[in-house]
Amino acid sequence: TRKRLDGALTAEVQGLSVQRVVVSGEPAEGILAYAKNHAVDLIMMPTHGYGTFRSLLIGSVTAKVLHDAVCPVWTAAHTAEHTGEQRPRHIPKSMICCVDGGPQSVQQMQWAAEFSNQFGAQLQLLHVVPPVADWGALIGDRQLQEEERDIARKRVAALCAAARVVAPLQVEVGHVAEVVAAKVVEENADLLIIGRGQMGATLGRLRTHAYEIIQ
């Protein structure tokens, strides 16, 4: 295994300082332990589509690391669909930070702002408000929806002020994963930043919306 690792991705990481490590044990636990013991700032890994998570294009190892890691995790969506394909190599210039509007969003926005500044990238903030009704054709429903959107906008704007983050904020209405995915395409974003969220919050915990967003 070490010989295979030493010969892997040599051209891709040429010019970088690289340490190649092999550990024994359950893969996710090994990754998490290594990251903790070495104060890792960022874990990067693909979303393999094996086993139970095949339909979500996310592997069980990635799922556990996403859920349990204390540091941010950068995962490349749909890598199984791009096997052998040359993808453009460029520094991300457009980032979207999707926030659920809870108090934990402050730290998430601060991290996103600092990270985007390091790349000189444009950062946009996105918050999704769920529909007040499945059938929003009634005037009362539309008015209530706009009121909910306005309340959410003010709440997230207050969090931005608390975080001292200055970035465009968009508040959209709809199903979370669908709206987020559509906005990424619309803005031609290079990177999407999401948080784990809180149980019962708009974005929910990782197991509710994050898998769907990645898919």
Side-chain angles (χ1 to χ4, degrees):
T1 300
R2 184 178 299 278
K3 288 180 179 179
R4 290 202 308 269
L5 182 62
D6 288 341
L9 303 174
T10 54
E12 288 80 357
V13 298
Q14 187 175 6
L16 299 178
S17 175
V18 178
Q19 182 180 8
R20 298 172 184 268
V21 179
V22 177
V23 298
S24 299
E26 198 277 323
E29 295 295 342
I31 294 170
L32 292 166
Y34 184 89
K36 180 180 179 180
N37 294 335
H38 293 80
V40 169
D41 297 313
L42 179 68
I43 297 173
M44 303 182 72
M45 59 191 307
T47 53
H48 293 301
Y50 303 134
T52 306
F53 294 90
R54 177 62 183 172
S55 62
L56 295 179
L57 297 177
I58 183 169
S60 56
V61 174
T62 306
K64 182 171 178 58
V65 173
L66 280 169
H67 192 274
D68 294 344
V70 295
C71 68
V73 179
W74 180 318
T75 185
H78 307 299
T79 51
E81 297 177 358
H82 299 284
T83 303
E85 177 182 327
Q86 287 293 329
R87 303 188 64 179
R89 299 176 63 182
H90 62 276
I91 295 175
K93 290 299 182 182
S94 175
M95 303 182 186
I96 294 178
C97 179
C98 191
V99 296
D100 62 13
Q104 71 282 351
S105 297
V106 171
Q107 183 178 5
Q108 180 188 347
M109 288 187 289
Q110 290 173 334
W111 188 92
E114 181 179 352
F115 192 74
S116 61
N117 285 337
Q118 291 177 0
F119 286 97
Q122 179 184 4
L123 177 66
Q124 298 184 62
L125 303 177
L126 174 63
H127 177 72
V128 182
V129 178
V132 297
D134 292 332
W135 185 28
L138 299 177
I139 295 177
D141 286 345
R142 292 199 299 268
Q143 181 178 349
L144 180 59
Q145 187 72 77
E146 286 306 312
E147 291 176 355
E148 289 293 320
R149 188 200 293 241
D150 187 56
I151 292 172
R153 183 182 299 277
K154 291 178 180 178
R155 182 176 68 252
V156 178
L159 292 172
C160 289
R164 297 183 179 181
V165 171
V166 178
L169 168 64
Q170 298 186 55
V171 178
E172 303 289 346
V173 176
H175 180 69
V176 174
E178 293 176 357
V179 172
V180 172
K183 187 60 63 175
V184 168
V185 174
E186 178 184 333
E187 301 293 338
N188 194 27
D190 298 312
L191 180 66
L192 174 66
I193 301 170
I194 62 174
R196 290 179 176 84
Q198 298 287 337
M199 185 68 73
T202 303
L203 280 181
R205 288 296 300 271
L206 179 67
R207 58 179 173 268
T208 57
H209 284 297
Y211 289 159
E212 191 176 2
I213 290 172
I214 293 171
Q215 181 186 12

